[in-house]
Amino acid sequence: MEWMATHTKDDIWGGLGSLRLFMAVQHKENINKMLLADVESQASGASADFTGSLDFESLDRIVSSDAEEDALGGTYDNYYDCWAKIDRDSGTDFDSTVESASGTIGTDGVLTDDTLRTFLRKIRKSAGKDPNVFLGSHEVYSEIQGLYMPSVRIANPYGEALVQVDVNGISTFKGTGVGIHVDSIYGIPFIPTKDAPTGGGNEVGRLFALDTSDAEGYGYPRIGIQIAIPTEYYEATRRTPAYPFVNNAFVEKGVFRTMGETVCRHFKAQGNIRDIKL
């Protein structure tokens, strides 16, 4: 591409500058996929105990429970243990609230308002407050929209919320044209994502209820990402008359790097409704 961009008019896109922009987007996409990796399929297809990963830890592994591991953990150990000291193979100390739409973990069912309200009540009792964001697939998003049609006779809990964006303690104002409009359920914003995990079969995704607040006042969120090194770009280039080829090889190389980890400080404040089918 680089050679055609600089020597001909036949390039279909552009040179390495265009590729650099494309790979910047792919870097963010890869991080998103890490955060939403499906653990059930990893456990069912495993041939040895899980020994960890260099990826960001996934929400599916963090927001899980001993009962989920018992039902879906497979033959080998540690697939639902997000860190070395978090034992869900034999204990419930680090359980999040995990519900199945059918009532039985591993069996698909249709999401109902009763399941959703019961789920939120359990989190509220365990965590002392409601979660502050829902995260799920577009299919789950569509199912929730279908739950609360205008024809229902109860007050519709599906609405619109104004949220604020915070970067290093600097927040936007909450208001039309400045805040961001998102759909909400029972006052909790819902963020759809195309990378939401699914275990296959009839399941169309999972609904995560996350508490990213700092309810204890420690200065850190109950769940979030801690960044050691923000995203950086490195490039190695040798400009020569033969560029971009030297000794029959490409000589320009680039890499995007981000260093950090997903961190949870309050497992019982997080929840997950799984096995949702259309």
Side-chain angles (χ1 to χ4, degrees):
M1 283 199 310
E2 178 73 358
W3 188 87
M4 287 192 295
T6 55
H7 292 77
T8 78
K9 297 184 181 297
D10 194 35
D11 60 297
I12 59 171
W13 187 18
L16 287 173
S18 299
L19 186 61
R20 191 179 301 117
L21 293 175
F22 173 76
M23 294 311 297
V25 175
Q26 293 304 300
H27 181 74
K28 292 185 291 183
E29 291 273 321
N30 286 337
I31 291 176
N32 205 51
K33 290 177 180 178
M34 292 177 194
L35 296 173
L36 293 164
D38 173 50
V39 175
E40 181 183 342
S41 59
Q42 293 178 20
S44 63
S47 57
D49 291 348
F50 183 69
T51 57
S53 168
L54 296 179
D55 291 348
F56 281 89
E57 188 58 278
S58 73
L59 291 174
D60 201 30
R61 201 188 319 273
I62 293 172
V63 187
S64 59
S65 67
D66 174 69
E68 193 174 10
E69 194 283 330
D70 291 343
L72 303 166
T75 306
Y76 299 96
D77 291 340
N78 303 326
Y79 279 88
Y80 283 83
D81 300 344
C82 44
W83 296 290
K85 299 296 183 181
I86 307 299
D87 179 18
R88 291 196 178 107
D89 293 298
S90 58
T92 60
D93 291 344
F94 302 99
D95 276 4
S96 296
T97 301
V98 178
E99 295 287 320
S100 172
S102 69
T104 303
I105 291 177
T107 301
D108 297 333
V110 175
L111 181 64
T112 65
D113 178 66
D114 182 64
T115 299
L116 190 56
R117 286 185 290 106
T118 301
F119 172 67
L120 288 174
R121 182 177 71 243
K122 289 181 178 180
I123 294 177
R124 193 179 301 119
K125 291 171 69 174
S126 297
K129 62 185 289 291
D130 280 323
N132 60 359
V133 65
F134 283 121
L135 182 71
S137 70
H138 286 275
E139 288 79 10
V140 171
Y141 178 58
S142 176
E143 280 297 284
I144 291 175
Q145 285 180 309
L147 281 178
Y148 305 113
M149 299 298 289
S151 58
V152 296
R153 297 187 180 185
I154 59 173
N156 195 339
Y158 181 84
E160 184 182 72
L162 285 169
V163 298
Q164 292 173 285
V165 176
D166 181 288
V167 179
N168 296 330
I170 301 173
S171 300
T172 64
F173 290 104
K174 185 184 292 186
T176 304
V178 181
I180 298 175
H181 290 269
V182 296
D183 289 312
S184 66
I185 305 100
Y186 290 110
I188 303 170
F190 184 104
I191 309 298
T193 172
K194 62 181 178 58
D195 294 317
T198 174
N202 293 320
E203 188 187 48
V204 296
R206 291 158 207 164
L207 178 63
F208 292 100
L210 307 176
D211 186 353
T212 65
S213 71
D214 177 20
E216 289 74 26
Y218 296 147
Y220 296 100
R222 285 179 163 186
I223 192 171
I225 299 175
Q226 285 201 233
I227 298 296
I229 299 176
T231 301
E232 298 175 330
Y233 177 71
Y234 295 90
E235 187 172 291
T237 306
R238 279 183 59 193
R239 294 288 180 179
T240 70
Y243 175 81
F245 309 108
V246 174
N247 298 325
N248 297 317
F250 289 106
V251 294
E252 181 148 348
K253 298 180 180 180
V255 61
F256 286 91
R257 176 180 77 163
T258 304
M259 184 184 292
E261 181 59 293
T262 325
V263 176
C264 183
R265 297 177 176 83
H266 199 312
F267 289 95
K268 295 185 184 300
Q270 322 303 328
N272 173 14
I273 300 180
R274 50 167 300 120
D275 306 322
I276 300 171
K277 71 176 184 179
L278 296 177

